Amino acid sequence: MADVEFQEDRAGIAEMTRSPAMLAAMEHLGDIVRIDAEATAAVDTGAYAFGLDGKPGVTGGGFTVDPQIRRGVASVVVSNDVRSAPSKNWPEGYPYGVAQEFGNEYVTARHTLGRALDALSTHI
């Protein structure tokens, strides 16, 4: 039997990475991250975890999964855009979700999305 050498087909790989099947796979992985984040998020009002308007002035929230072809490759973004009500210093509302994830002088960092992403390795 003759030795066979692998020949990379860049066009084929590029086609595969932007295929509907790859996009569906990215969405599935994003859903796993979202579910884990919702299950482990601190629930003071529910706004961060589920997008519930449990605290006056808190809007948005809940984790969203956005699968798209970006720069020619299937990808997914899992995010949380919970914000407080608009104020003088924060016309679009204070980014409470960012504070929950990374912390600040008022909120202890909880790294909910980071931990959920790390946990994804146990699912794949």
Side-chain angles (χ1 to χ4, degrees), residues 61-90:
F63 296 92
T64 58
V65 177
D66 180 23
Q68 285 187 34
I69 304 296
R70 294 177 178 87
R71 287 173 259 163
V73 176
S75 65
V76 66
V77 172
V78 182
S79 61
N80 187 304
D81 66 353
V82 67
R83 291 180 168 276
S84 65
S87 67
K88 179 179 147 187
N89 293 333
W90 296 93

mmCIF file of all heavy atoms in Angstrom, residues 61-90:
data_model
loop_
_atom_site.group_PDB
_atom_site.id
_atom_site.type_symbol
_atom_site.label_atom_id
_atom_site.label_comp_id
_atom_site.label_asym_id
_atom_site.label_seq_id
_atom_site.Cartn_x
_atom_site.Cartn_y
_atom_site.Cartn_z
ATOM 1 N N GLY A 61 -31.476 42.135 29.813
ATOM 2 C CA GLY A 61 -31.004 41.001 30.585
ATOM 3 C C GLY A 61 -31.352 39.680 29.970
ATOM 4 O O GLY A 61 -31.898 39.594 28.881
ATOM 5 N N GLY A 62 -31.059 38.657 30.689
ATOM 6 C CA GLY A 62 -31.194 37.326 30.144
ATOM 7 C C GLY A 62 -30.062 37.090 29.151
ATOM 8 O O GLY A 62 -29.530 38.022 28.564
ATOM 9 N N PHE A 63 -29.681 35.877 29.033
ATOM 10 C CA PHE A 63 -28.580 35.532 28.137
ATOM 11 C C PHE A 63 -29.128 35.259 26.746
ATOM 12 O O PHE A 63 -30.142 34.593 26.591
ATOM 13 C CB PHE A 63 -27.834 34.315 28.680
ATOM 14 C CG PHE A 63 -27.186 34.594 29.995
ATOM 15 C CD1 PHE A 63 -27.855 34.340 31.187
ATOM 16 C CD2 PHE A 63 -25.918 35.144 30.062
ATOM 17 C CE1 PHE A 63 -27.265 34.619 32.403
ATOM 18 C CE2 PHE A 63 -25.317 35.430 31.271
ATOM 19 C CZ PHE A 63 -25.999 35.164 32.440
ATOM 20 N N THR A 64 -28.472 35.808 25.744
ATOM 21 C CA THR A 64 -28.894 35.601 24.364
ATOM 22 C C THR A 64 -27.800 34.867 23.600
ATOM 23 O O THR A 64 -26.614 34.995 23.897
ATOM 24 C CB THR A 64 -29.192 36.934 23.660
ATOM 25 O OG1 THR A 64 -28.024 37.751 23.691
ATOM 26 C CG2 THR A 64 -30.340 37.677 24.317
ATOM 27 N N VAL A 65 -28.236 34.096 22.624
ATOM 28 C CA VAL A 65 -27.336 33.330 21.758
ATOM 29 C C VAL A 65 -27.501 33.877 20.352
ATOM 30 O O VAL A 65 -28.613 33.919 19.832
ATOM 31 C CB VAL A 65 -27.685 31.823 21.813
ATOM 32 C CG1 VAL A 65 -26.817 31.029 20.863
ATOM 33 C CG2 VAL A 65 -27.571 31.302 23.232
ATOM 34 N N ASP A 66 -26.403 34.298 19.754
ATOM 35 C CA ASP A 66 -26.440 34.903 18.424
ATOM 36 C C ASP A 66 -25.473 34.181 17.476
ATOM 37 O O ASP A 66 -24.316 34.554 17.365
ATOM 38 C CB ASP A 66 -26.073 36.382 18.531
ATOM 39 C CG ASP A 66 -26.083 37.088 17.184
ATOM 40 O OD1 ASP A 66 -26.763 36.611 16.250
ATOM 41 O OD2 ASP A 66 -25.395 38.122 17.061
ATOM 42 N N PRO A 67 -25.965 33.121 16.788
ATOM 43 C CA PRO A 67 -25.107 32.440 15.814
ATOM 44 C C PRO A 67 -25.133 33.194 14.485
ATOM 45 O O PRO A 67 -26.191 33.612 14.025
ATOM 46 C CB PRO A 67 -25.753 31.063 15.677
ATOM 47 C CG PRO A 67 -27.201 31.313 15.961
ATOM 48 C CD PRO A 67 -27.249 32.463 16.936
ATOM 49 N N GLN A 68 -23.967 33.405 13.922
ATOM 50 C CA GLN A 68 -23.862 34.112 12.635
ATOM 51 C C GLN A 68 -22.617 33.660 11.910
ATOM 52 O O GLN A 68 -21.696 33.123 12.522
ATOM 53 C CB GLN A 68 -23.749 35.618 12.842
ATOM 54 C CG GLN A 68 -25.007 36.325 13.234
ATOM 55 C CD GLN A 68 -24.792 37.834 13.244
ATOM 56 O OE1 GLN A 68 -24.040 38.378 12.440
ATOM 57 N NE2 GLN A 68 -25.449 38.517 14.158
ATOM 58 N N ILE A 69 -22.599 33.961 10.617
ATOM 59 C CA ILE A 69 -21.371 33.829 9.850
ATOM 60 C C ILE A 69 -20.642 35.165 10.018
ATOM 61 O O ILE A 69 -21.140 36.199 9.616
ATOM 62 C CB ILE A 69 -21.645 33.557 8.356
ATOM 63 C CG1 ILE A 69 -22.528 32.311 8.183
ATOM 64 C CG2 ILE A 69 -20.337 33.442 7.588
ATOM 65 C CD1 ILE A 69 -21.901 31.030 8.660
ATOM 66 N N ARG A 70 -19.484 35.124 10.648
ATOM 67 C CA ARG A 70 -18.684 36.327 10.873
ATOM 68 C C ARG A 70 -17.329 36.130 10.215
ATOM 69 O O ARG A 70 -16.664 35.140 10.486
ATOM 70 C CB ARG A 70 -18.502 36.587 12.374
ATOM 71 C CG ARG A 70 -19.798 36.938 13.091
ATOM 72 C CD ARG A 70 -19.548 37.113 14.594
ATOM 73 N NE ARG A 70 -20.754 37.499 15.296
ATOM 74 C CZ ARG A 70 -21.666 36.633 15.771
ATOM 75 N NH1 ARG A 70 -21.496 35.338 15.633
ATOM 76 N NH2 ARG A 70 -22.731 37.077 16.391
ATOM 77 N N ARG A 71 -16.979 37.073 9.364
ATOM 78 C CA ARG A 71 -15.718 36.986 8.622
ATOM 79 C C ARG A 71 -15.560 35.643 7.915
ATOM 80 O O ARG A 71 -14.482 35.060 7.882
ATOM 81 C CB ARG A 71 -14.524 37.260 9.526
ATOM 82 C CG ARG A 71 -14.427 38.739 9.893
ATOM 83 C CD ARG A 71 -13.364 38.977 10.894
ATOM 84 N NE ARG A 71 -14.125 39.102 12.135
ATOM 85 C CZ ARG A 71 -13.666 39.014 13.350
ATOM 86 N NH1 ARG A 71 -12.434 38.831 13.567
ATOM 87 N NH2 ARG A 71 -14.429 39.138 14.384
ATOM 88 N N GLY A 72 -16.680 35.140 7.396
ATOM 89 C CA GLY A 72 -16.653 33.918 6.610
ATOM 90 C C GLY A 72 -16.633 32.625 7.402
ATOM 91 O O GLY A 72 -16.445 31.549 6.839
ATOM 92 N N VAL A 73 -16.836 32.700 8.715
ATOM 93 C CA VAL A 73 -16.772 31.514 9.568
ATOM 94 C C VAL A 73 -17.988 31.495 10.496
ATOM 95 O O VAL A 73 -18.356 32.523 11.064
ATOM 96 C CB VAL A 73 -15.475 31.515 10.410
ATOM 97 C CG1 VAL A 73 -15.426 30.347 11.364
ATOM 98 C CG2 VAL A 73 -14.249 31.513 9.511
ATOM 99 N N ALA A 74 -18.586 30.322 10.671
ATOM 100 C CA ALA A 74 -19.694 30.190 11.607
ATOM 101 C C ALA A 74 -19.182 30.438 13.018
ATOM 102 O O ALA A 74 -18.132 29.933 13.413
ATOM 103 C CB ALA A 74 -20.311 28.801 11.511
ATOM 104 N N SER A 75 -19.915 31.245 13.775
ATOM 105 C CA SER A 75 -19.524 31.540 15.149
ATOM 106 C C SER A 75 -20.777 31.805 15.968
ATOM 107 O O SER A 75 -21.881 31.890 15.429
ATOM 108 C CB SER A 75 -18.598 32.757 15.197
ATOM 109 O OG SER A 75 -19.297 33.904 14.778
ATOM 110 N N VAL A 76 -20.585 31.940 17.267
ATOM 111 C CA VAL A 76 -21.700 32.247 18.148
ATOM 112 C C VAL A 76 -21.212 33.207 19.226
ATOM 113 O O VAL A 76 -20.076 33.118 19.682
ATOM 114 C CB VAL A 76 -22.310 30.969 18.769
ATOM 115 C CG1 VAL A 76 -21.329 30.286 19.707
ATOM 116 C CG2 VAL A 76 -23.619 31.274 19.474
ATOM 117 N N VAL A 77 -22.086 34.139 19.578
ATOM 118 C CA VAL A 77 -21.821 35.065 20.674
ATOM 119 C C VAL A 77 -22.924 34.852 21.705
ATOM 120 O O VAL A 77 -24.108 34.898 21.374
ATOM 121 C CB VAL A 77 -21.821 36.538 20.195
ATOM 122 C CG1 VAL A 77 -21.732 37.491 21.368
ATOM 123 C CG2 VAL A 77 -20.692 36.774 19.213
ATOM 124 N N VAL A 78 -22.525 34.584 22.932
ATOM 125 C CA VAL A 78 -23.472 34.488 24.037
ATOM 126 C C VAL A 78 -23.252 35.739 24.877
ATOM 127 O O VAL A 78 -22.124 36.036 25.269
ATOM 128 C CB VAL A 78 -23.251 33.219 24.882
ATOM 129 C CG1 VAL A 78 -24.281 33.131 25.998
ATOM 130 C CG2 VAL A 78 -23.297 31.972 24.007
ATOM 131 N N SER A 79 -24.320 36.481 25.114
ATOM 132 C CA SER A 79 -24.161 37.760 25.808
ATOM 133 C C SER A 79 -25.310 38.006 26.775
ATOM 134 O O SER A 79 -26.299 37.277 26.795
ATOM 135 C CB SER A 79 -24.096 38.902 24.785
ATOM 136 O OG SER A 79 -25.289 38.946 24.032
ATOM 137 N N ASN A 80 -25.144 39.052 27.546
ATOM 138 C CA ASN A 80 -26.158 39.495 28.484
ATOM 139 C C ASN A 80 -26.097 41.009 28.526
ATOM 140 O O ASN A 80 -25.053 41.576 28.846
ATOM 141 C CB ASN A 80 -25.895 38.919 29.876
ATOM 142 C CG ASN A 80 -27.015 39.226 30.827
ATOM 143 O OD1 ASN A 80 -27.370 40.382 31.024
ATOM 144 N ND2 ASN A 80 -27.573 38.192 31.426
ATOM 145 N N ASP A 81 -27.183 41.669 28.184
ATOM 146 C CA ASP A 81 -27.150 43.130 28.087
ATOM 147 C C ASP A 81 -27.997 43.838 29.141
ATOM 148 O O ASP A 81 -28.480 44.935 28.920
ATOM 149 C CB ASP A 81 -27.570 43.576 26.687
ATOM 150 C CG ASP A 81 -29.025 43.268 26.381
ATOM 151 O OD1 ASP A 81 -29.681 42.590 27.200
ATOM 152 O OD2 ASP A 81 -29.508 43.689 25.322
ATOM 153 N N VAL A 82 -28.153 43.217 30.303
ATOM 154 C CA VAL A 82 -28.961 43.847 31.346
ATOM 155 C C VAL A 82 -28.343 45.188 31.733
ATOM 156 O O VAL A 82 -27.132 45.322 31.837
ATOM 157 C CB VAL A 82 -29.139 42.921 32.576
ATOM 158 C CG1 VAL A 82 -27.841 42.685 33.301
ATOM 159 C CG2 VAL A 82 -30.170 43.479 33.536
ATOM 160 N N ARG A 83 -29.196 46.196 31.853
ATOM 161 C CA ARG A 83 -28.770 47.563 32.193
ATOM 162 C C ARG A 83 -29.749 48.152 33.201
ATOM 163 O O ARG A 83 -30.907 47.782 33.240
ATOM 164 C CB ARG A 83 -28.773 48.449 30.945
ATOM 165 C CG ARG A 83 -27.705 48.078 29.955
ATOM 166 C CD ARG A 83 -27.772 49.011 28.743
ATOM 167 N NE ARG A 83 -26.600 48.859 27.932
ATOM 168 C CZ ARG A 83 -25.438 49.476 28.129
ATOM 169 N NH1 ARG A 83 -25.297 50.308 29.108
ATOM 170 N NH2 ARG A 83 -24.419 49.252 27.336
ATOM 171 N N SER A 84 -29.238 49.084 33.971
ATOM 172 C CA SER A 84 -30.117 49.837 34.862
ATOM 173 C C SER A 84 -30.860 50.878 34.023
ATOM 174 O O SER A 84 -30.577 51.048 32.837
ATOM 175 C CB SER A 84 -29.293 50.533 35.950
ATOM 176 O OG SER A 84 -28.458 51.505 35.357
ATOM 177 N N ALA A 85 -31.770 51.568 34.662
ATOM 178 C CA ALA A 85 -32.487 52.638 33.971
ATOM 179 C C ALA A 85 -31.504 53.746 33.589
ATOM 180 O O ALA A 85 -30.502 53.954 34.273
ATOM 181 C CB ALA A 85 -33.589 53.192 34.869
ATOM 182 N N PRO A 86 -31.761 54.467 32.516
ATOM 183 C CA PRO A 86 -30.894 55.583 32.126
ATOM 184 C C PRO A 86 -30.785 56.618 33.242
ATOM 185 O O PRO A 86 -31.721 56.830 34.003
ATOM 186 C CB PRO A 86 -31.600 56.173 30.907
ATOM 187 C CG PRO A 86 -32.411 55.045 30.361
ATOM 188 C CD PRO A 86 -32.847 54.244 31.555
ATOM 189 N N SER A 87 -29.612 57.214 33.319
ATOM 190 C CA SER A 87 -29.379 58.261 34.308
ATOM 191 C C SER A 87 -28.491 59.326 33.682
ATOM 192 O O SER A 87 -28.065 59.202 32.529
ATOM 193 C CB SER A 87 -28.695 57.675 35.553
ATOM 194 O OG SER A 87 -27.381 57.249 35.225
ATOM 195 N N LYS A 88 -28.202 60.371 34.455
ATOM 196 C CA LYS A 88 -27.353 61.450 33.964
ATOM 197 C C LYS A 88 -25.976 60.918 33.546
ATOM 198 O O LYS A 88 -25.463 61.260 32.492
ATOM 199 C CB LYS A 88 -27.207 62.515 35.058
ATOM 200 C CG LYS A 88 -26.327 63.671 34.694
ATOM 201 C CD LYS A 88 -26.273 64.658 35.845
ATOM 202 C CE LYS A 88 -24.914 65.304 35.897
ATOM 203 N NZ LYS A 88 -24.716 66.128 37.060
ATOM 204 N N ASN A 89 -25.376 60.083 34.382
ATOM 205 C CA ASN A 89 -24.048 59.545 34.087
ATOM 206 C C ASN A 89 -24.071 58.390 33.083
ATOM 207 O O ASN A 89 -23.064 58.101 32.451
ATOM 208 C CB ASN A 89 -23.361 59.085 35.369
ATOM 209 C CG ASN A 89 -23.042 60.242 36.278
ATOM 210 O OD1 ASN A 89 -22.854 61.369 35.823
ATOM 211 N ND2 ASN A 89 -23.000 60.000 37.575
ATOM 212 N N TRP A 90 -25.199 57.707 32.991
ATOM 213 C CA TRP A 90 -25.328 56.553 32.089
ATOM 214 C C TRP A 90 -26.594 56.716 31.254
ATOM 215 O O TRP A 90 -27.621 56.108 31.550
ATOM 216 C CB TRP A 90 -25.391 55.247 32.892
ATOM 217 C CG TRP A 90 -24.135 54.971 33.640
ATOM 218 C CD1 TRP A 90 -23.846 55.318 34.923
ATOM 219 C CD2 TRP A 90 -22.977 54.306 33.143
ATOM 220 N NE1 TRP A 90 -22.591 54.903 35.252
ATOM 221 C CE2 TRP A 90 -22.032 54.274 34.184
ATOM 222 C CE3 TRP A 90 -22.659 53.732 31.904
ATOM 223 C CZ2 TRP A 90 -20.779 53.694 34.022
ATOM 224 C CZ3 TRP A 90 -21.408 53.152 31.764
ATOM 225 C CH2 TRP A 90 -20.481 53.146 32.817
#
